[in-house]
Amino acid sequence: MLLNSVSVDELARDEESLKRFLRTLPPVDQVGVEGRAAMLSTRSIKNASKNFAIDLAIRMVDLTTLEGADTPGKVKALCNKAVRPDPTDSTVPHVGAVCVYNDMVSIARAHLDSIGGHDVPVAAVSTAFPSGRASQAVKIQDTKDALDAGAGEIDMVIDRGAFLSGRYGEVFDEIKLIKSLCGEKAHLKVIFETGELVTYDNVRKASFMAMLAGADFIKTSTGKVAPAATPPVVLVMLEAVRDFHIMTGRKVGVKPAGGIRTTKDAIKQLVLVNETAGEEWLSPNLFRIGASALLNDLLMQRMKMRDGRYSSSNYVTLD
Amino acid sequence: MTKFEYAPAPESTSIVDLKSEYGLFINGKFVAPKGGKTFVTINPANEKILAKVAYASNSDVDKAVIAATEAFKKTWSRTSPSERGKYLYRIARILQERAREFAVLETMDNGKPIRETRDIDIPLAAAHFFYHAGWADKLEFAGVGSNPKPHGVVGQIIPWNFPLLMLAWKVAPALATGNTVVLKPAETTPLTALLFAEVCQQAGLPAGVLNIVTGDGATGAYLVNHPGIQKIAFTGSTQVGKGIARAISGTSKALTLELGGKGANIIYDDAAIDEAVEGIISGIFFNQGHVCCAGSRLLVQESVLDEVTEKLKRRMSLIRVGDPLDKNTDLGAINSKAQLEKIHELANSGDSEGAQRWSPECELPGAGFWFKPTIFSGVAQSHRIAREEIFGPVLSILTFRTPQEAIEKANNTPFGLSAGIWTDKGSKILWTAQRLKAGVIWANTFNKFDPASPFGGYKESGWGREGGRHGLAAYVKVAK
């Protein structure tokens, strides 16, 4: 069934029709989806395909620092790492984006531009990240500040309280509002905090709701709550973007974040993408991985593939 | 590499120590067959010869039955139940220790993917020995009747689709209950049984308790008719099973049969569709569809037919067909040329009877026996592909309108081995399961096995149960 944009709007005309639509989504069987994810995690990725996967994963990393202790110095160092992940090897691609709190956006943007990282966007977490517990006025200002400071991507959190109490219309409207602020200037990623939504049925509902509201990406987690980007959760979201594409013709990206620390974890995610949403999603335009420690593991595995041996962690830079 | 393709990831065969020739395993030793007749077993994925295997003559079978009879009288019946349990535990642990070796050998001889032998066949075979080891000294409490006694010598004939696993299903309960065994593996897949004989030697199992005679249908027939056998356990085709039942009628031999099936996999419109599609895939493409309990008849509620078919086709195009030793292979080789011809013959009948065939684009290897994953839509109950067991990666899609119609169609078959139910509604699962005439019914899953769960069929799918407490009952005599 291919819907045009008019009937997409029709699906979410008001809270009642949105609820009705979300109720028509097929349920997710927990045992089945976990079994499928476990089976896909047994794929053995070796040699040329491993090299390919490592470079692809590096290009997909949203290199992130979201600490109370973030300083201009820390953020600038992160930007350097984002543009030249391995200073000894210029064939290493730059990462997908740098992800910071909104007061660090201008520092990150200016520094990236000064070191030739024009292609690396700055993503700002927004709407009272990570809890989303603030007035709408605050959330709007939060987003505007980030956009004014040069954010190319907005990672907003949904109001999980509203979602869990069934006020889907409220969540939908808020996503739509933030999307309208982003306009053409910035991509919108919508964070569900799947560890708080808990069930796969909720993840599927949230995915369709966010896509209908105009999300460019749907994102699992803030990184502040565990469990975060588990393979079955990502699988459900990948099924959602696949089916939404078939339904509307629009491609929405997926961003797992939180808990993806090793090359092995990242490759498992790429296998999920490859065998669920398909090859088209194997691009930083449609798949990102929110991470900090992951990048160094990818670099160490890359060196190992190149040199045939592991180097000590002192051969990759700390930032 | 410009796109994400999985580089070959073949499991090494160096762990397997293939001999050029295998003897018969009689009375604890490998012996040459009388007359020296042999046959070869090949790797169905490349048609290369793996080994020469002894062909048991009638006098070899006689020797094996005599060895089993002697072992029963002099050793095994005098071994305490807890001691029997110890041997089974030992065998189970050795199977786990040598799991990779067994997995690789099974894949070479059978053609099934290493992912399945590694993750399913071999671990489950070990699990059957662990499970039955525990029963050996508790049979009095198994609920099979008072003072259960072994039959004596049991003759066991196993198929080629799960060679080691079917051995485990039969040998473990037989030994746990105090019987001795003469086992005949399938002609095309004898190697893991012969490796299992080595495990029995390694475990110090007394000589003659387990004997293995390799050969063909004639060997099996001679074993079935042997007067020294007190019980027969057979897994294989319904046709051969009927022949066995005829052959032993009028004798005092006990018999269990695990025969064919044409399992209905019922998809209701309120099912978790994505997971149901996974269940359809595992129902028919697991082990190349060489599964007696395969969900080979898909019954889809008409209101979700298009959605299910579209998703199924999409998912089928991701099935990785090829080298069974590659860790990423999903669908391996068809076990034999004869089986491949049978699959072709039945699939062609689907075309000529008017069903629509569909297979994903996929390249099949040049050598070996291969069949693309295939679905037929527009199948009617009257088509041969809806009635006959294909035993290959071929799915027949039928539709239904109401739950009542689903039941009627599902039960409208001479078989009754397995069925699947897919709905998110618990009450509907119970309603449906109560009405299905099938020995095994899975709800929101398919092809799941456990040693504690009895397995067996209604109607032409067989007699008796294997596994669980019900399976033990087949291997003991009780005062009536």
Side-chain angles (χ1 to χ4, degrees), chain A residues 26-29 32-33 36 39 42-49 52-53 204 239 242-243 246 270-271 274-279 282, chain B residues 1-9 115 118-119 270-275 278 307 311 314-315 318 320 327-330 422 424 444:
Chain A
V28 185
D29 185 77
V33 77
R36 173 68 177 153
M39 184 265 129
T42 69
R43 291 291 191 223
S44 179
I45 306 302
K46 303 272 180 232
N47 308 323
S49 49
F52 181 84
R204 178 170 285 175
E239 286 171 352
R242 174 196 70 194
D243 293 345
I246 293 170
L270 296 185
V271 168
N274 194 34
E275 300 202 34
T276 309
E279 205 189 319
L282 284 171
Chain B
M1 190 174 276
T2 52
K3 56 185 242 184
F4 191 36
E5 284 163 341
Y6 304 162
R115 178 163 69 74
R118 178 194 68 197
D119 296 347
D270 52 6
I273 300 290
D274 287 301
E275 288 72 42
E278 287 306 318
E307 186 182 355
K311 287 200 163 181
R314 193 188 165 97
R315 176 65 179 79
L318 295 166
R320 306 174 61 83
K327 286 174 249 183
N328 294 324
T329 291
D330 298 321
W422 297 84
D424 212 34
N444 292 328

Side-chain angles (χ1 to χ4, degrees), chain B residues 99-403:
Chain B
R100 221 178 112 228
E101 185 182 354
F102 270 99
V104 172
L105 182 61
E106 193 79 297
T107 287
M108 291 167 78
D109 203 16
N110 173 281
K112 64 171 74 192
I114 186 77
R115 178 163 69 74
E116 291 181 7
T117 54
R118 178 194 68 197
D119 296 347
I120 297 164
D121 291 59
I122 312 305
L124 258 181
H128 271 266
F129 280 95
F130 276 115
Y131 174 82
H132 287 96
W135 275 123
D137 60 353
K138 304 172 194 72
L139 293 171
E140 188 71 40
F141 312 102
V144 296
S146 143
N147 197 18
K149 297 283 181 215
H151 289 286
V153 180
V154 301
Q156 303 184 323
I157 299 169
I158 55 172
W160 46 260
N161 59 340
F162 294 93
L164 186 75
L165 183 59
M166 291 301 105
L167 174 149
W169 280 30
K170 289 192 162 42
V171 170
L175 298 189
T177 48
N179 297 280
T180 57
V181 173
V182 179
L183 175 95
K184 192 200 86 73
E187 191 183 351
T188 59
T189 56
L191 295 181
T192 45
L194 294 164
L195 186 60
F196 180 79
E198 281 181 27
V199 168
C200 292
Q201 287 179 324
Q202 196 183 342
L205 188 74
V209 171
L210 174 77
N211 305 276
I212 297 175
V213 288
T214 42
D216 60 9
T219 318
Y222 187 76
L223 180 64
V224 164
N225 289 305
H226 203 287
I229 299 281
Q230 280 82 49
K231 183 208 149 47
I232 310 285
F234 171 78
T235 296
S237 73
T238 294
Q239 194 194 352
V240 175
K242 284 179 173 176
I244 292 174
R246 275 194 292 272
I248 67 156
S249 63
T251 74
S252 60
K253 287 177 188 172
L255 176 63
T256 45
L257 298 170
E258 298 289 355
L259 308 176
K262 193 73 190 173
N265 207 359
I266 301 171
I267 317 290
Y268 284 116
D269 62 356
D270 52 6
I273 300 290
D274 287 301
E275 288 72 42
V277 167
E278 287 306 318
I280 298 167
I281 295 281
S282 83
I284 189 63
F285 300 123
F286 171 56
N287 201 29
Q288 297 72 246
H290 301 329
V291 185
C292 45
C293 53
S296 50
R297 275 187 305 152
L298 183 66
L299 289 173
V300 189
Q301 192 153 3
E302 217 168 307
S303 51
V304 286
L305 176 68
D306 292 346
E307 186 182 355
V308 169
T309 310
E310 277 313 303
K311 287 200 163 181
L312 180 60
K313 284 181 175 175
R314 193 188 165 97
R315 176 65 179 79
M316 280 172 71
S317 63
L318 295 166
I319 294 176
R320 306 174 61 83
V321 186
D323 179 10
L325 281 166
D326 191 307
K327 286 174 249 183
N328 294 324
T329 291
D330 298 321
L331 195 79
I334 302 301
N335 180 250
S336 66
K337 192 157 184 259
Q339 187 57 32
L340 181 62
E341 282 164 4
K342 189 189 155 199
I343 297 168
H344 275 299
E345 196 264 318
L346 271 160
N348 292 341
S349 85
D351 295 330
S352 60
E353 289 187 322
Q356 291 86 52
R357 186 202 288 240
W358 185 88
S359 289
E361 293 285 320
C362 63
E363 217 172 292
L364 299 179
F369 315 125
W370 304 91
F371 199 91
K372 283 184 182 181
T374 300
I375 54 174
F376 278 98
S377 50
V379 179
Q381 288 285 98
S382 57
H383 290 167
R384 281 183 69 200
I385 52 169
R387 291 184 291 119
E388 295 178 33
E389 185 177 40
I390 300 173
F391 224 61
V394 182
L395 178 71
S396 303
I397 305 180
L398 298 93
T399 59
F400 66 89
R401 294 162 296 176
T402 62

Side-chain angles (χ1 to χ4, degrees), chain A residues 2-311:
Chain A
L2 197 68
L3 301 176
N4 55 33
S5 60
V6 178
S7 56
V8 168
D9 289 343
E10 199 65 11
L11 290 176
R13 188 178 62 239
D14 51 31
E15 177 138 17
E16 276 316 301
S17 36
L18 178 65
K19 274 186 174 171
R20 248 196 319 275
F21 169 70
L22 294 179
R23 265 202 296 269
T24 66
L25 295 172
V28 185
D29 185 77
Q30 184 192 333
V31 175
V33 77
E34 288 173 0
R36 173 68 177 153
M39 184 265 129
L40 285 175
S41 78
T42 69
R43 291 291 191 223
S44 179
I45 306 302
K46 303 272 180 232
N47 308 323
S49 49
K50 190 169 178 183
N51 283 328
F52 181 84
I54 289 173
D55 278 6
L56 182 58
I58 292 172
R59 289 164 53 217
M60 288 171 166
V61 167
D62 276 6
L63 194 61
T64 302
T65 184
L66 293 169
E67 302 296 334
D70 284 346
T71 56
K74 163 78 184 169
V75 168
K76 284 179 188 168
L78 194 79
C79 292
N80 288 335
K81 181 87 172 177
V83 176
R84 284 291 298 277
D86 182 349
T88 67
D89 186 346
S90 62
T91 63
V92 178
H94 65 70
V95 302
V98 168
C99 183
V100 292
Y101 272 117
N102 112 15
D103 62 332
M104 292 293 164
V105 171
S106 56
I107 295 161
R109 185 67 269 158
H111 191 69
L112 283 168
D113 290 342
S114 75
I115 57 170
H118 308 283
D119 299 342
V120 180
V122 177
V125 294
S126 187
T127 66
F129 180 96
S131 69
R133 301 250 66 82
S135 70
Q136 199 158 76
V138 169
K139 292 180 184 177
I140 291 170
Q141 195 55 49
D142 196 6
T143 308
K144 280 184 175 162
D145 286 352
L147 291 168
D148 290 346
E153 301 179 356
I154 297 292
D155 288 25
M156 73 171 283
V157 291
I158 63 164
D159 182 344
R160 281 88 75 188
F163 183 93
L164 289 170
S165 63
R167 287 177 280 136
Y168 298 140
E170 230 175 278
V171 185
F172 178 87
D173 290 342
E174 196 162 279
I175 298 170
K176 224 173 162 176
L177 176 68
I178 302 297
K179 173 67 188 173
S180 70
L181 295 178
C182 292
E184 296 298 308
K185 265 197 290 186
H187 268 93
L188 178 64
K189 305 195 198 103
V190 178
I191 306 172
F192 301 146
E193 199 67 296
T194 53
E196 290 182 353
L197 300 189
V198 180
T199 70
Y200 297 118
D201 285 323
N202 278 345
V203 174
R204 178 170 285 175
K205 281 198 183 100
S207 299
F208 274 89
M209 190 182 59
M211 291 187 291
L212 285 173
D216 297 301
F217 264 76
I218 51 177
K219 175 174 168 185
T220 60
S221 324
T222 61
K224 307 290 183 193
V225 171
T230 65
V233 158
V234 179
L235 178 57
V236 170
M237 290 167 62
L238 287 164
E239 286 171 352
V241 296
R242 174 196 70 194
D243 293 345
F244 189 76
H245 175 234
I246 293 170
M247 198 170 119
T248 66
R250 188 164 82 83
K251 287 184 200 137
V252 176
V254 176
K255 179 178 170 185
I260 301 167
R261 293 190 184 88
T262 64
T263 302
K264 215 171 195 170
D265 293 337
I267 290 178
K268 280 179 188 173
Q269 296 279 341
L270 296 185
V271 168
L272 287 176
V273 176
N274 194 34
E275 300 202 34
T276 309
E279 205 189 319
E280 281 175 282
W281 266 261
L282 284 171
S283 141
N285 296 330
L286 288 169
F287 198 75
R288 294 281 182 83
I289 301 171
S292 32
L294 170 67
L295 182 58
N296 270 351
D297 195 65
L298 286 166
L299 294 174
M300 282 175 74
Q301 286 293 336
R302 201 178 186 279
M303 285 180 191
K304 193 257 166 181
M305 296 297 285
R306 188 189 61 198
D307 305 337
R309 57 182 166 74
Y310 284 102
S311 306

